[in-house]
Amino acid sequence: GWGLLLAFSALFNLLAIFEPRAGAAYNLGVAALQRGQVDQAVACFRNALEVRPDFAQAHNNLGAVLLRQGKVAEAVGHHAAALRLKLDYTEAHYNMGIALVQQGRVPEAMGHYEQALRLKPDFADAHYNLGVALFQQGRVAEAIGQYEQTLRLKPEFADAHYNLGVALVQASRVAEAVG
């Protein structure tokens, strides 16, 4: 009885001490990233995860930064950890898709983009990246649909305009591509 209660009390007190430290480290990492201090951001996110290994957002952001540094395999590991902790994490699915594409695992990446879109249907960048992946797989008509959806959501997205034009030409719809 009392032993278990004391153990829970001690654990609660430890969490009260460490939880703010993990959050502070995470926030410092986000701020460092906004300033373009990538190495500092990595250190901060790693610090947050040392204090709180189940911090899904820290795993996701660390993965995104590692991907920028070309550490693709390690990035995939952190995105996977984020998704194990929070299965419906839209941004982690999106970031996992980006990392998997860099590993040449395009069909798997498409599944993550699709899951991100199930969770957030108006995610223009996920529509765009899914369009790119579909085009790479020779699924031009589906890619066109994704590019069109991207542009409905984000009309100023220059790369989506360009890729839509390329896909329309590929689909022998030249008049639409130049019109």
Side-chain angles (χ1 to χ4, degrees):
W2 284 108
L4 188 58
L5 184 60
L6 288 174
F8 275 121
S9 176
L11 178 62
F12 182 78
N13 289 335
L14 278 174
L15 288 175
I17 293 165
F18 287 123
E19 187 66 30
R21 214 178 99 207
Y26 174 80
N27 290 337
L28 287 170
V30 171
L33 203 50
Q34 289 170 342
R35 291 190 308 270
Q37 297 171 323
V38 176
D39 292 337
Q40 172 98 27
V42 167
C44 290
F45 294 138
R46 287 191 195 284
N47 186 0
L49 289 168
E50 283 174 26
V51 175
R52 192 175 142 210
D54 66 341
F55 198 161
Q57 292 85 349
H59 277 291
N60 183 55
N61 282 11
L62 178 56
V65 178
L66 291 168
L67 193 60
R68 275 186 180 177
Q69 294 181 322
K71 299 174 182 171
V72 182
E74 192 178 353
V76 167
H78 282 285
H79 294 310
L83 290 169
R84 276 193 302 276
L85 294 164
K86 188 176 176 192
L87 191 56
D88 63 345
Y89 193 172
T90 305
E91 292 76 14
H93 279 290
Y94 174 74
N95 288 334
M96 178 66 102
I98 293 169
L100 290 171
V101 164
Q102 289 194 19
Q103 288 188 324
R105 297 162 61 186
V106 177
E108 281 179 78
M110 290 168 52
H112 284 281
Y113 293 141
E114 290 164 348
Q115 184 60 28
L117 289 167
R118 276 192 283 281
L119 295 165
K120 186 178 175 190
D122 63 345
F123 194 169
D125 290 347
H127 281 288
Y128 175 77
N129 283 7
L130 180 56
V132 170
L134 287 163
F135 190 83
Q136 288 175 350
Q137 297 290 298
R139 295 164 61 181
V140 178
E142 293 169 86
I144 289 169
Q146 292 300 320
Y147 295 141
E148 289 173 339
Q149 183 61 23
T150 301
L151 292 169
R152 277 192 285 280
L153 295 166
K154 204 171 176 182
E156 73 286 357
F157 199 147
D159 287 343
H161 281 283
Y162 175 80
N163 284 4
L164 176 59
V166 169
L168 288 168
V169 168
Q170 181 82 24
S172 300
R173 292 167 57 184
V174 178
E176 292 173 70
V178 296

